[in-house]
Amino acid sequence: MPRALVILVGIAAAVVVLFGIREVASIAGPVVLALVLVIAVSPVRGWLRTRSAPIWLQVAVPFLIVVLVLVGMVGILTISVTQLVSLLPTYTDQFERLLADSERWAAAHGISNDVLNKGLQAFDPGRVLGLAQSLLGSLIGILSALFLIVVLLLAMSLDAPTTARILTAGEGSRPQLVTALATFGHKTRRYLIVSTVFGLINAILDMIALSLLDVPLPLLWGVLALIANYIPNIGFVIGLIPPAMLALLDGGVQTMSLVIAAYIVINVVTQSFILPKFLGDAVGLSTTMTFISLIVWTFVLGPLGAILAIPLSLLTRALLIDSDPSAKWVQALVSGRIPRE
C-alpha cells in the first residue's frame, strides 16, 4: 500500500480511538490512574518478594499504601476547597479597592479607563481563583470515584505477580513487546518517584514561603503545587497563579510579587538545576512531543489526562513504537535523540 495511504489510515484510526476513549473517560481515567499507581508501588512488592513475604502481604502492603495516599489527598482537597469557597466572597471589597487604585494609577499615567477595564477583565483575580476552584473541584471529582479506583487497584494488585510471570514467559515469543512494556514500567516508575520527591520538596518550600508571607490556605496551594508538578510544561504556572492572585487580594502588589519571586526561585533551583540530574532522559520524549501529549491527553481525559500525560505517552510509545523493530527512526523522532549507529 502507498505510504501516504497508510499514514492517513493510521491518523484516522488514532482519531477514532481517541474520541472513543474520550466518550468513556469516566472509566478510562480511573483505569489508567490505577495502573500507574500499581506501577509506582511495584518496588515495594519486589522488596517484599525478595524477603520471601507471603503473597497476601505482597498484595496488601502496596495496596494499602496507595489507598491511604488517595484518601489523604481527597480529605485535604475537600477541606481546603471548602475553605476556599467560603473565603472568596470576603475579597469583594479588596478587589473593588484594587480596581479603584488601578484606575487612579492609570489616570496619572495617561492610560484610558477603557484599556484598563479590558485588561482587568482579562486578568480578573476572581475569575482566576474561580478557575482554580473549578480545577480543584474536578480533581476532587476524579478522586471521589474512590470506590472504582480502589476496586481496580485491588484487582491489579492481585494480578500483578501473575502478570509479571506471564510477561517473563513471553520473552521467547514476543521479546520486543515484553522489552517495550518493561521499559515503560521502568521509565514510568522512575518518572513518578523522582517527580513525587521533588514535587513534595517544592510543595513544602512553597508552603513555608506562603506561611511566612501570611497568604491564606498554604496547605491547599502546597497540594496544588504537588499535583501541578506532574503536568508538563505548564504545571508551574498552574500552581503559581491562584496563590499569587490570592496574595494580591489579601496583601497587595508587594505580597504578590514576593510570592511570584519565591515560587520562581524554588522552581528554578529544584526543577532546572537539580531535577534533570536525577531524572536525566528517563522520559524519552522530546519537548515538542511532551507538549503535544499534554494537549492530546487533556482533551481526551480532562484534568486527569494532564496529570497522566507522560505515563500515557510512554504507554503509547511502548505499544506502538518500541515494540516494533522497524520503528527506530520514529523512536528518534519522538525522543529527540539521534540513534547511535
Side-chain angles (χ1 to χ4, degrees):
M1 295 179 63
R3 182 174 296 275
L5 180 59
V6 173
I7 294 174
L8 289 175
V9 171
I11 293 175
V15 170
V16 171
V17 170
L18 290 176
F19 272 89
I21 295 174
R22 191 184 185 200
E23 290 299 314
V24 293
S26 60
I27 299 175
V31 169
V32 177
L33 177 60
L35 174 63
V36 170
L37 292 174
V38 169
I39 291 174
V41 296
S42 60
V44 177
R45 185 170 53 253
W47 182 82
L48 291 171
R49 185 173 61 252
T50 59
R51 297 299 187 278
S52 301
I55 295 296
W56 68 267
L57 195 61
Q58 297 179 30
V59 172
V61 172
F63 171 74
L64 290 176
I65 290 174
V66 174
V67 170
L68 290 175
V69 170
L70 287 176
V71 171
M73 291 287 287
V74 170
I76 293 173
L77 286 174
T78 303
I79 295 172
S80 298
V81 170
T82 302
Q83 293 175 339
L84 178 63
V85 170
S86 62
L87 183 66
L88 284 179
T90 65
Y91 286 105
T92 303
D93 294 338
Q94 286 90 329
F95 180 68
E96 295 295 333
R97 192 182 310 117
L98 176 66
L99 180 61
D101 292 341
S102 301
E103 289 176 348
R104 286 193 295 269
W105 180 88
H109 290 79
I111 301 175
S112 67
N113 285 335
D114 291 338
V115 175
L116 178 64
N117 289 333
K118 290 180 180 179
L120 287 174
Q121 287 175 3
F123 201 63
D124 185 347
R127 291 185 179 181
V128 175
L129 291 171
L131 178 61
Q133 178 183 338
S134 175
L135 173 62
L136 291 168
S138 298
L139 291 171
I140 292 176
I142 293 168
L143 294 176
S144 63
L146 204 55
F147 178 75
L148 176 59
I149 296 174
V150 168
V151 170
L152 289 168
L153 280 171
L154 180 58
M156 292 182 182
S157 297
L158 289 170
D159 290 338
T162 304
T163 302
R165 288 195 295 269
I166 292 173
L167 289 175
T168 302
E171 290 180 349
S173 57
R174 300 295 297 274
Q176 291 287 340
L177 178 59
V178 173
T179 302
L181 291 175
T183 302
F184 155 71
H186 172 73
K187 287 185 175 183
T188 300
R189 186 162 52 249
R190 185 178 177 188
Y191 164 75
L192 290 173
I193 292 174
V194 175
S195 296
T196 300
V197 171
F198 280 90
L200 285 171
I201 294 173
N202 269 6
I204 293 171
L205 293 176
D206 291 341
M207 288 169 57
I208 293 173
L210 294 174
S211 298
L212 293 175
L213 295 171
D214 291 326
V215 177
L217 305 177
L219 179 60
L220 172 62
W221 308 129
V223 174
L224 178 61
L226 173 60
I227 295 172
N229 189 64
Y230 297 104
I231 302 176
N233 299 326
I234 63 171
F236 168 69
V237 178
I238 293 175
L240 168 62
I241 290 179
M245 292 299 97
L246 188 60
L248 174 64
L249 294 175
D250 190 75
V253 176
Q254 182 178 0
T255 303
M256 181 186 71
S257 301
L258 291 174
V259 168
I260 294 174
Y263 266 65
I264 290 176
V265 170
I266 293 169
N267 184 78
V268 168
V269 172
T270 58
Q271 302 294 322
S272 300
F273 294 149
I274 302 177
L275 180 60
K277 295 181 180 179
F278 288 88
L279 193 59
D281 191 41
V283 174
L285 296 173
S286 65
T287 304
T288 302
M289 293 305 301
T290 300
F291 192 72
I292 292 175
S293 68
L294 171 65
I295 296 172
V296 170
W297 293 117
T298 303
F299 169 77
V300 174
L301 296 179
L304 186 59
I307 297 172
L308 298 176
I310 297 298
L312 282 166
S313 296
L314 290 176
L315 178 59
T316 303
R317 171 178 170 165
L319 294 175
L320 301 181
I321 300 174
D322 293 344
S323 60
D324 186 357
S326 63
K328 296 293 184 182
W329 69 274
V330 183
Q331 293 179 9
L333 187 64
V334 299
S335 64
R337 296 174 62 89
I338 298 175
R340 296 178 180 178
E341 298 296 338

